[in-house]
Amino acid sequence: MAGVGLAGAGLAGGFAAGNATARTSAPSAGPAEGDGAFAFTGEHQAGITTPVQDSLHFATWDVTTQDRDEVVALLRAWTLAASRMTQGLPAGEFGPMSGPYDAPPDDTGEAEDLPASGLTITFGFGPSFFTAADGTPRFGLDGRRPDLLADLPHFPGDMLEDARCGGDLAVQACANDPQVAVHAIRNLARIAFGTASVRWSQLGYGRTSSTTTTQPTPRNLFGFKDGTANITSEESAAVDEHVWVAPGDGADWLTGGSYLVARRIRMTIETWDRAPLREQETIVGRTKGSGAPLSGGEERTEPDFEAAGRGGAPLIDPASHVRLAHPTSNGGARMLRRGYNYTDGSDGLGRLDAGLFFLAYVRDPATQYVPMQNALAKHDLMSEYLRHTGSGIWAVPRGVAEGATLGGDQGAFVGQELFA
Ligand code: HEM
């Protein structure tokens, strides 16, 4: 296990001896809320179309080794640890309270008495994983970077902080208990020590979308229902069309995977709280109560952008968020949103550092994300209340096959097709 560092050395016995056969149930089955476990393996990684959980810990890493074998060893170790933690088991076979007394425990312990809590761990590769800043290919992956995995362009109004952007590897850990999500990222960081270092991370609470029709629509920090028109897992044709990379899309190793876009969007909460209700609803294009479009009906009624009120003015403002983000304004493009509220304390000026950690999965970021973000940044009435402070894009490979053997020197791992 050279390459997974000191902590990895302590775990070597665990990974070498701890071969595990992955569970075989479909990843779509699992708890929308509560204690249960989602299957780690399946055609697609869990944590995308699986029901959104309550809490998030998202982290990105920069790989510090130059050695391809060490990167593969890390991915293998991460895969085994993730498969265990998602089932409510310690990251390593010994757990936090046993194993060699003179070695660091192979699990940190804070999730010891907690159930799986619907934990999903979803892995992605960023553009910088494939290509160094000077353009040199990394890890022998020449020609393997998908054309669509390009750094996002600068958008109008971006106020990005370098320390909240990018990363060679990204992991989205979601759970119904925040301690379980944090435990997952902490243990992956411990395992990566010496091979990859954490670049930045973000905690989130309170989901801002639903990914199944059975989940109620939650609210964001503007107090509006968020996720009403999201793609749900039940819309299998829409999921295939808008979320999963298909054969012929450009990078065969990514077939069955997706692209993840993350944006840390700070909301100027105090200014919003002084805006009249009429203005708030005009900006969103929906009512604050039921979430119905301002053209009438109920939450799930399709907005009618032609409907006009007295004097002929459109009931839904052409510059409202819902109008500009709607598929009819974006050539039919949709995305699977999976974001969270965040509050990182206050900023020293008495203002909350709070907002929405936007996460979206798309099949093609160039057509599904970039034009929409450009249109929103230029025209969305909501932009006045938003500051994009963090950003990143990652290619999220397909899932590890059901029944695959994990661990050891030959075990299956997430992203294996990339290194084939
Ligand atoms: C803090 C920032 C944001 C807030 C508060 C916000 C809020 C909302 C709300 C309240 C809705 C209406 C309910 C719904 O269908 O979910 C909505 C819809 C939507 N938003 Fe956002 N949003 C934000 C950022 C973004 C960004 C950055 C994008 C993409 C670039 C985006 C894309 C969408 C899409 C695609 C819809 C569904 C439109 C439809 O099909 O009707 N949003 N958002």
Side-chain angles (χ1 to χ4, degrees):
M1 286 301 295
V4 290
L6 198 60
L11 289 163
F15 288 122
N19 290 0
T21 300
R23 283 166 54 119
T24 51
S25 49
S28 56
E33 53 192 29
D35 295 349
F38 287 106
F40 176 72
T41 58
E43 188 182 357
H44 310 291
Q45 289 196 65
I48 303 174
T49 54
T50 41
V52 192
Q53 307 90 323
D54 293 331
S55 300
L56 167 81
H57 195 182
F58 183 88
T60 83
W61 280 260
D62 284 333
V63 178
T64 49
T65 180
Q66 311 290 325
D67 186 332
R68 175 182 168 119
D69 291 344
E70 291 184 359
V71 174
V72 168
L74 170 64
L75 293 172
R76 221 171 234 136
W78 269 7
T79 300
L80 179 59
S83 74
R84 293 179 55 87
M85 291 190 285
T86 53
Q87 305 312 304
L89 298 171
E93 66 164 342
F94 295 119
M97 289 109 194
S98 64
Y101 205 41
D102 291 317
D106 63 12
D107 183 281
T108 52
E110 71 274 28
E112 182 63 5
D113 308 313
L114 302 175
S117 307
L119 174 69
T120 55
I121 301 177
T122 315
F123 298 90
F125 300 102
S128 58
F129 181 75
F130 296 81
T131 321
D134 65 2
T136 317
R138 301 177 77 192
F139 312 121
L141 294 172
D142 321 30
R144 303 289 276 167
R145 172 173 158 178
D147 291 343
L148 290 171
L149 186 66
D151 284 322
L152 294 173
H154 176 85
F155 297 106
D158 270 1
M159 299 178 74
L160 301 181
E161 300 164 18
D162 193 46
R164 301 186 194 276
C165 291
D168 298 342
L169 301 167
V171 177
Q172 171 200 279
C174 301
N176 294 316
D177 182 331
Q179 185 141 326
V180 170
V182 170
H183 169 263
I185 293 295
R186 175 179 173 188
N187 279 272
L188 297 179
R190 181 182 56 75
I191 291 167
F193 186 78
T195 307
S197 60
V198 173
R199 183 174 169 84
W200 57 279
S201 82
Q202 180 68 51
L203 291 172
Y205 66 93
R207 60 189 173 86
T208 58
S209 72
S210 307
T211 49
T212 73
T213 51
T214 52
Q215 289 182 294
T217 313
R219 289 183 188 268
N220 59 38
L221 294 184
F222 283 157
F224 277 74
K225 287 195 176 182
D226 205 340
T228 300
N230 201 24
I231 297 178
T232 59
S233 55
E234 290 88 349
E235 295 178 80
S236 51
V239 171
D240 285 341
E241 184 183 348
H242 299 288
V243 181
W244 304 131
V245 173
D249 278 359
D252 284 348
W253 67 266
L254 193 57
T255 299
S258 190
Y259 292 91
L260 167 62
V261 173
R263 303 284 288 183
R264 183 180 185 273
I265 309 176
R266 183 171 175 186
M267 295 162 151
T268 53
I269 301 271
E270 293 76 15
T271 322
W272 176 264
D273 292 346
R274 290 196 294 272
L277 180 58
R278 178 193 301 276
E279 184 186 335
Q280 294 185 0
E281 291 195 341
T282 301
I283 287 169
V284 174
R286 292 180 174 274
T287 66
K288 199 166 186 176
S290 69
L294 294 184
S295 50
E298 296 166 358
E299 185 192 348
R300 307 229 173 251
T301 307
E302 259 302 300
D304 178 356
F305 299 115
E306 305 302 321
R310 266 183 285 159
L315 290 172
I316 301 180
D317 195 294
S320 64
H321 184 71
V322 109
R323 164 76 195 275
L324 291 167
H326 195 267
T328 51
S329 304
N330 294 282
R334 297 179 69 194
M335 53 181 68
L336 187 144
R337 288 171 287 146
R338 220 177 183 286
Y340 285 84
N341 298 320
Y342 76 83
T343 304
D344 290 342
S346 302
D347 65 2
L349 297 170
R351 301 175 304 204
L352 289 174
D353 182 0
L356 191 150
F357 191 66
F358 176 91
L359 294 168
Y361 288 88
V362 292
R363 178 174 164 192
D364 176 353
T367 57
Q368 291 169 260
Y369 179 76
V370 173
M372 193 187 295
Q373 180 55 43
N374 257 320
L376 293 177
K378 283 184 194 149
H379 307 297
D380 190 359
L381 293 171
M382 197 187 275
S383 298
E384 188 186 337
Y385 297 90
L386 306 178
R387 306 274 179 275
H388 287 241
T389 57
S391 180
I393 181 169
W394 295 271
V396 175
R398 71 184 76 157
V400 171
E402 293 173 10
T405 297
L406 309 181
D409 291 337
Q410 301 299 319
F413 61 93
V414 176
Q416 190 159 5
E417 295 80 4
L418 171 59
F419 294 88

